Amino acid sequence: MSVYENFDEQKQFACRVIADHARSTAFAIADGILPGNEGRNYVLRKIMRRAIYHGREHLGFADLFFYKVCDFVVGQMHDAYPELEIQREFIGKMVRLEEERFGTTMTVGLKKLSELLDKGDYDFDPQNTEMRLPGTVQICELAKLYDTFGLPIDLMYVVLKSKYPTRPDFDPMESFSFWILERNVGSKYKGTKEKFSVVETLGYFVDKEDESSDGYDVLAYKSIKFIDEEQFRELIDEELKQLQQSSEIGKTKQSDKINPIYVALERTSVRSNFHGYEKTQVEDAKVIALVKDDQKVDELNFGDEGLIILDETPFYAESGGQVGDTGILFNSNAQTKVFDTFAPIAGIVLHKSKVEKGSIKVGDQMTATVDVEKRDATRRNHTATHLVHAALREVLGTHVKQAGSVVAPSYLRFDFTHYQPISDAELREIEDLVNREILRNDPVNTDLMSIEDAMRTGAMALFGEKYGSQVRVLSVGGGEFSRELCGGTHVSATGNIGSFKIMADEAVASGVRRIRAITGLDAFARFRDDENLIEKSLGALRTQRDNLPSAIEKLQDELKKARRENDDLKMKIATGAIGGAASNGDEGREINGVKVIAKTVEGLDKGGMRHLSDTLMAKIKSGVVILARTEEGKVSFIVRVSDDLTDKVKAGKIVQEIAPIVGGKGGGKPDMAEGGGTDAGKLNDALTESYQVIEKMLT
């Protein structure tokens, strides 16, 4: 009989979960999907963490194990699927990283859940008609725990059931929904609107209503249904959708704003034809709708801001990461400045504008002119974004996938999946690849074809993007370096980009990194600024260009040496001053046979104060040292007590007594404590009081 057959039902189920999820994990990572917080990456993270949880919780695995199971999958299936063997090392690394991360986050997540439940307890008095409910424990908070820490839903479900046991006045199987009521809801629900708000928002499951009253009597109500795990998961999943929609990764500012007025426009015949691929100006564009303050209007007057919809437009609406065009709309009687363009609903291009001259009415004919300089700069950055994507896959690996982008006139931002920081050498190689492609001046071709034909050409599509039956395929050169689906505006040849410079590489989420870069004149301006900085540095350091790093290193060494000498001098002065006098010019006192030094020392930082207290304690061997300093009107103390005195004299107690005198507080251990305050004028009073405090302790 196998080990599996000896397991109980729960352990067998855990084994099946792990086996199934290990297969999914290995194949997904081999296909370039990495655990993350959005889309399919999020699905992968969920199944990985579910498998890891079952192994730890039900099979008792204390150490990392899931990456070994995934490796076993590769070993079993690589003959039929050779790509698994090619990616074996990468799969193992990614699974191990996620498993290590989950081990930490799960521990923290359980602690957070415990804290959440502790503050959400209810109190019930059978003699009272009111009850205090656990309003702080709500679905949104549980969803955040799951999203942030990966805390398994079934684990949260078990913990909640044990935390809120069956109520004595309810049937055992009809009580669990109790904990999701809002805090401000008492024993009565007054009015249908409030009642259904609770049902809809918190998933409070009910069967019937006492029609003899105008609300619910919770104490008498016996039909609260027990929420099973499936219903609980549905509540969490629904809340997670809201959380993920609020994520900023890969989004631009207008991308998910759907206003009711836009829906109303969609129901009419209002539509805009876009001509921006081939031209930047359209004459005799007709105004077919105007919107002001979320209302359709017939006219926009001088100074008004609103949305203008044209039947024909050259303005590109914000989409696919590319920002919307700016420019002007004008005729002989009026002129407006367009400072943004977006299309919340396909086919309706909204020109966010301000009337600078005259007035505009529905039916007017306008000349629509795009700001060509900004459009050209945006085109350069957008085509460069495609080159960056291709270069990243070339240098880092084919697991790199786009996770969002912003293409603006002055910069580009590219988010992508990758599991570790990029080295300086890799960044240079990426930058060189892009610039080399720019120097080749390959033509940039755009072809309109069916989505099926586009996929057959090998064009890359973004997961989660919506594509129509006809798509635009952007190819650099013959498509060998880059071929992707894209509806944005682009340069005609890579040489038009001019130059490319990476400004930053940073992590923005687990498994997601971000590159910021500039092109064209912005890159040249950056090169010029760098040259100016270098020339100024050479002049200040009086050295040659090839010797600049050595000169800076030498200057840093000299500065460190000067600081050490300065700190040593301050310490000698402070030690000498204390050796000769106490706080008010007197020698350190003896109180009931105990040596006590209380002194204000200036010129030392916090670290210097601690070092000085160590030195003085070593010098007197047995006694109490109280040092104080002032900085910008604030006071700080450090109190040291030798080990032989801590049973009588407590450093923490001394600080607690003297810190309030200077308007502050403090505390610490019996042998060392720190504190401070804001009234430097009372410092001498505090030090004088310290002697009295110590004397009381020794009495």
Side-chain angles (χ1 to χ4, degrees):
M1 183 177 289
S2 67
V3 174
Y4 174 82
E5 292 172 333
N6 285 325
F7 282 160
D8 59 26
E9 184 178 348
Q10 178 63 68
K11 288 185 177 181
Q12 288 185 351
F13 177 75
C15 289
R16 293 195 297 273
V17 168
I18 293 169
D20 177 78
H21 291 2
R23 286 193 298 270
S24 300
T25 298
F27 278 93
I29 294 176
D31 197 38
I33 304 170
L34 301 180
N37 292 330
E38 291 188 320
R40 59 181 180 176
N41 307 90
Y42 191 65
V43 173
L44 175 59
R45 169 164 285 171
K46 285 172 67 176
I47 66 172
M48 290 177 69
R49 292 190 167 185
R50 183 167 185 256
I52 296 166
Y53 162 67
H54 274 280
R56 292 182 175 222
E57 184 71 14
H58 302 303
L59 300 180
F61 294 138
D63 299 324
L64 304 181
F65 74 94
F66 192 55
Y67 77 97
K68 298 177 183 177
V69 183
C70 292
D71 189 67
F72 181 79
V73 170
V74 174
Q76 291 292 308
M77 309 190 77
H78 72 275
D79 289 337
Y81 302 96
E83 63 270 22
L84 289 175
E85 183 62 40
I86 295 172
Q87 299 282 358
R88 181 192 286 267
E89 183 179 352
F90 180 69
I91 292 170
K93 178 180 288 188
M94 286 308 306
V95 176
R96 189 181 182 104
L97 283 172
E98 185 65 22
E99 196 168 3
E100 290 172 345
R101 185 182 295 115
F102 181 54
T104 302
T105 56
M106 185 172 165
T107 301
V108 177
L110 283 172
K111 181 180 178 182
K112 293 290 184 182
L113 178 61
S114 178
E115 293 173 355
L116 183 65
L117 296 180
D118 286 342
K119 73 175 183 179
D121 270 339
Y122 62 81
D123 184 20
F124 173 65
D125 180 359
Q127 304 301 319
N128 197 339
T129 58
E130 294 183 358
M131 68 179 81
R132 290 185 288 279
L133 302 174
T136 53
V137 183
Q138 294 188 13
I139 289 294
C140 61
E141 293 172 306
L142 297 173
K144 288 177 182 177
L145 286 177
Y146 178 51
D147 188 57
T148 304
F149 301 105
L151 201 59
I153 294 177
D154 47 357
L155 177 60
M156 288 195 290
Y157 183 74
V158 170
V159 172
L160 284 164
K161 285 180 67 176
S162 64
K163 182 67 177 179
Y164 296 107
T166 300
R167 300 261 320 199
D169 57 332
F170 289 140
D171 184 270
M173 294 301 291
E174 297 179 344
S175 64
F176 183 55
S177 295
F178 186 66
W179 59 270
I180 58 174
L181 294 173
E182 287 184 309
R183 178 174 51 195
N184 62 344
V185 178
S187 62
K188 296 282 187 180
Y189 295 94
K190 297 178 180 179
T192 303
K193 182 178 180 181
E194 183 179 10
K195 174 187 66 179
F196 282 102
S197 174
V198 173
V199 173
E200 181 179 307
T201 305
L202 299 177
Y204 186 57
F205 295 95
V206 295
D207 277 349
K208 63 184 179 180
E209 178 181 356
D210 181 1
E211 297 180 357
S212 63
S213 66
D214 61 354
Y216 286 140
D217 186 336
V218 176
L219 295 180
Y221 194 64
K222 298 287 186 178
S223 296
I224 300 178
K225 286 292 184 183
F226 185 88
I227 297 180
D228 61 28
E229 187 175 342
E230 182 178 352
Q231 293 169 322
F232 183 64
R233 285 182 179 278
E234 289 175 358
L235 291 173
I236 295 290
D237 287 341
E238 185 62 32
E239 192 64 33
L240 280 170
K241 291 178 183 177
Q242 301 298 321
L243 287 175
Q244 291 184 346
Q245 286 175 4
S246 66
S247 172
E248 294 300 318
I249 297 176
K251 291 186 179 179
T252 48
K253 58 185 177 181
Q254 301 287 356
S255 57
D256 59 347
K257 295 182 179 179
I258 304 299
N259 192 303
I261 187 62
Y262 308 153
V263 178
L265 289 171
E266 185 184 27
R267 292 171 181 166
T268 69
S269 59
V270 171
R271 291 295 181 273
S272 304
N273 295 317
F274 176 62
H275 301 281
Y277 292 127
E278 61 274 6
K279 59 180 71 174
T280 56
Q281 180 171 298
V282 170
E283 298 179 354
D284 298 328
K286 184 180 179 181
V287 177
I288 54 177
L290 297 171
V291 176
K292 179 184 177 184
D293 298 329
D294 293 336
Q295 299 292 328
K296 285 186 67 175
V297 296
D298 294 325
E299 183 177 9
L300 290 177
N301 296 308
F302 174 77
D304 285 349
E305 292 188 8
L307 304 174
I308 301 174
I309 300 97
L310 305 173
D311 62 346
E312 313 287 339
T313 180
F315 284 77
Y316 181 85
E318 176 187 300
S319 178
Q322 180 174 328
V323 300
D325 278 333
T326 62
I328 60 172
L329 307 175
F330 66 93
N331 59 24
S332 58
N333 301 316
Q335 177 172 309
T336 71
K337 181 178 181 181
V338 179
F339 47 89
D340 195 9
T341 310
F342 60 101
I345 294 175
I348 301 178
V349 178
L350 304 177
H351 305 77
K352 192 173 183 180
S353 310
K354 181 176 182 179
V355 181
E356 297 182 326
K357 174 187 174 183
S359 62
I360 297 179
K361 299 179 181 178
V362 174
D364 285 353
Q365 300 288 329
M366 309 288 291
T367 297
T369 303
V370 172
D371 186 324
V372 176
E373 185 176 339
K374 288 186 177 180
R375 163 71 79 83
D376 287 345
T378 304
R379 286 193 237 209
R380 289 192 291 268
N381 285 329
H382 202 157
T383 305
T385 299
H386 286 254
L387 300 183
V388 169
H389 192 185
L392 285 167
R393 289 172 60 83
E394 181 77 20
V395 175
L396 304 180
T398 56
H399 65 276
V400 169
K401 297 289 189 298
Q402 181 174 340
S405 68
V406 172
V407 181
S410 57
Y411 73 99
L412 67 89
R413 192 190 80 194
F414 188 78
D415 298 345
F416 59 97
T417 56
H418 190 52
Y419 57 90
Q420 65 185 19
I422 304 176
S423 68
D424 291 340
E426 289 171 331
L427 281 175
R428 284 194 298 271
E429 188 175 356
I430 293 164
E431 201 171 69
D432 288 346
L433 272 175
V434 174
N435 280 304
R436 192 174 296 122
E437 193 61 35
I438 291 171
L439 290 173
R440 287 169 58 92
N441 198 26
D442 282 335
V444 177
N445 302 307
T446 304
D447 300 303
L448 189 64
M449 60 182 71
S450 69
I451 184 68
E452 294 82 7
D453 290 341
M455 293 297 98
R456 278 193 285 269
T457 67
M460 291 188 62
L462 297 184
F463 182 83
E465 286 287 324
K466 295 180 180 179
Y467 297 105
S469 58
Q470 294 289 304
V471 295
R472 294 175 65 85
V473 178
L474 185 85
S475 302
V476 176
E480 294 83 4
F481 187 71
S482 173
R483 179 183 279 121
E484 296 186 45
L485 273 59
C486 183
T489 59
H490 291 272
V491 297
S492 59
T494 58
N496 295 341
I497 298 172
S499 59
F500 172 80
K501 175 64 180 173
I502 295 176
M503 305 299 295
D505 159 55
E506 58 192 354
V508 293
S510 178
V512 179
R513 299 196 67 78
R514 172 175 294 168
I515 275 183
R516 299 176 187 270
I518 52 178
T519 64
L521 294 176
D522 292 305
F524 286 120
R526 176 57 183 250
F527 298 147
R528 187 179 298 113
D529 289 343
D530 289 347
E531 282 296 311
N532 289 336
L533 287 173
I534 291 172
E535 289 300 324
K536 289 180 180 179
S537 300
L538 293 174
L541 295 173
R542 298 178 182 177
T543 188
Q544 300 299 316
R545 179 182 288 264
D546 58 354
N547 195 45
L548 182 58
S550 298
I552 294 174
E553 186 177 346
K554 181 180 178 182
L555 187 63
Q556 288 177 326
D557 291 340
E558 291 175 352
L559 182 59
K560 290 178 182 178
K561 182 179 178 182
R563 284 175 175 169
R564 284 196 300 268
E565 291 174 349
N566 186 44
D567 290 341
D568 290 343
L569 182 59
K570 286 180 180 179
M571 191 64 65
K572 289 177 181 178
I573 294 173
T575 306
I578 292 176
S583 61
N584 297 311
D586 300 326
E587 293 292 336
R589 302 183 189 180
E590 275 200 13
I591 301 176
N592 293 344
V594 173
K595 182 75 172 180
V596 179
I597 297 177
K599 176 68 179 179
T600 300
V601 181
E602 302 297 346
L604 296 180
D605 59 13
K606 193 172 183 179
M609 290 273 286
R610 290 178 178 175
H611 181 56
L612 179 58
S613 69
D614 290 338
T615 302
L616 293 175
M617 185 55 67
K619 185 176 181 180
I620 65 175
K621 296 182 180 178
S622 177
V624 180
V625 174
I626 304 172
L627 301 180
R629 69 185 180 103
T630 60
E631 184 177 7
E632 297 180 353
K634 295 182 179 180
V635 179
S636 60
F637 297 105
I638 183 168
V639 178
R640 296 290 302 275
V641 177
S642 57
D643 293 340
D644 61 314
L645 297 174
T646 53
D647 58 334
K648 296 180 180 179
V649 181
K650 311 291 185 184
K653 181 65 175 176
I654 296 173
V655 171
Q656 290 172 5
E657 292 286 340
I658 65 175
I661 297 174
V662 294
K665 59 184 179 179
K669 300 178 180 179
D671 62 331
M672 186 177 78
E674 295 179 282
T678 57
D679 190 353
K682 297 289 185 64
L683 177 55
N684 284 336
D685 294 342
L687 292 176
T688 301
E689 178 64 20
S690 67
Y691 293 119
Q692 308 301 322
V693 172
I694 295 170
E695 187 173 6
K696 290 179 182 178
M697 292 180 177
L698 292 171
T699 301

